[in-house]
Amino acid sequence: MRIEVIWIGKSKQKAYQYLIDLYLKRLQHYAKVSIAELTELKQHGMPRDQFMAKEADLILSKIRAGDHIVLLDERGEQKTSVQLSSWMQQLMNRSTQRLVLIIGGAYGVHETLKLRSKETLSLSKMTLTHDMARVFILEQLYRAWTIIRGEKYHNE
């Protein structure tokens, strides 16, 4: 299974980029994981819904037919790390070719993306910065793989 994480904008602090690179490198041992870091759009006074629709179009341009699309949003379903690993194993068992995880822009995601996605996951009930969400999802993907493989990273 290939995994693509799509987000808008670049990490502005080197510490976050270091952690993103660290977990991407660790993940390569288990799966083909890639990041689609999309250019942050400028709002220039346009209405929020119109701006969010433009961001959605940008994200949708990276999505292929057959992708299993999951939005990351604080209002989504929460899973423990063990549940996340089980969920990923189920996706692999169903021969999911490409899992696409989406971190929306500052205002969230437009309705068109919500309708296209298969499910919505929450990383926390608390609001996270985009940089924190990026590091958090990559670490949790790494943790899930180590759980699936029975490796000693996750303490139960």
Side-chain angles (χ1 to χ4, degrees):
M1 178 171 65
R2 298 180 66 99
I3 301 171
E4 177 141 22
V5 186
I6 299 174
W7 62 59
I8 295 176
K10 294 183 178 283
S11 293
K12 293 168 181 68
Q13 295 182 24
K14 289 182 182 180
Y16 289 114
Q17 191 58 54
Y18 169 81
L19 291 170
I20 289 166
D21 293 342
L22 173 72
Y23 286 110
L24 276 176
K25 184 177 178 182
R26 289 182 181 185
L27 279 162
Q28 296 309 318
H29 176 71
Y30 303 100
K32 292 191 183 253
V33 180
S34 59
I35 303 295
E37 194 170 68
L38 306 179
T39 303
E40 195 169 358
L41 301 175
K42 302 294 182 199
Q43 191 170 1
H44 296 300
M46 81 175 72
R48 183 180 287 188
D49 192 58
Q50 184 181 356
F51 179 71
M52 290 171 65
K54 283 188 130 194
E55 282 186 337
D57 289 343
L58 186 61
I59 292 168
L60 287 167
S61 73
K62 299 295 182 188
I63 292 173
R64 304 175 192 157
D67 283 350
H68 187 94
I69 301 165
V70 179
L71 298 178
L72 299 175
D73 185 274
E74 64 192 37
R75 292 170 290 281
E77 177 188 357
Q78 291 191 329
K79 296 182 182 299
T80 66
S81 297
V82 172
Q83 289 169 332
L84 181 69
S85 68
S86 176
W87 173 77
M88 285 178 51
Q89 183 66 63
Q90 289 171 12
L91 290 175
M92 288 185 284
N93 292 347
R94 291 190 301 224
S95 299
T96 300
Q97 294 297 308
R98 198 165 93 118
L99 170 63
V100 177
L101 301 165
I102 298 170
I103 300 173
Y107 300 122
V109 295
H110 191 263
E111 196 63 33
T112 56
L113 273 176
K114 291 177 183 176
L115 293 172
R116 182 75 169 76
S117 68
K118 299 253 190 235
E119 48 197 311
T120 304
L121 293 179
S122 172
L123 300 176
S124 173
K125 288 183 180 183
M126 294 181 273
T127 302
L128 302 173
T129 67
H130 281 80
D131 284 329
M132 293 293 286
R134 294 166 184 175
V135 171
F136 191 77
I137 190 58
L138 293 174
E139 191 279 336
Q140 286 300 300
L141 289 172
Y142 173 69
R143 183 178 296 274
W145 278 107
T146 63
I147 292 169
I148 289 168
R149 298 278 176 93
E151 297 174 359
K152 294 182 180 184
Y153 179 76
H154 178 76
N155 297 321
E156 291 194 46

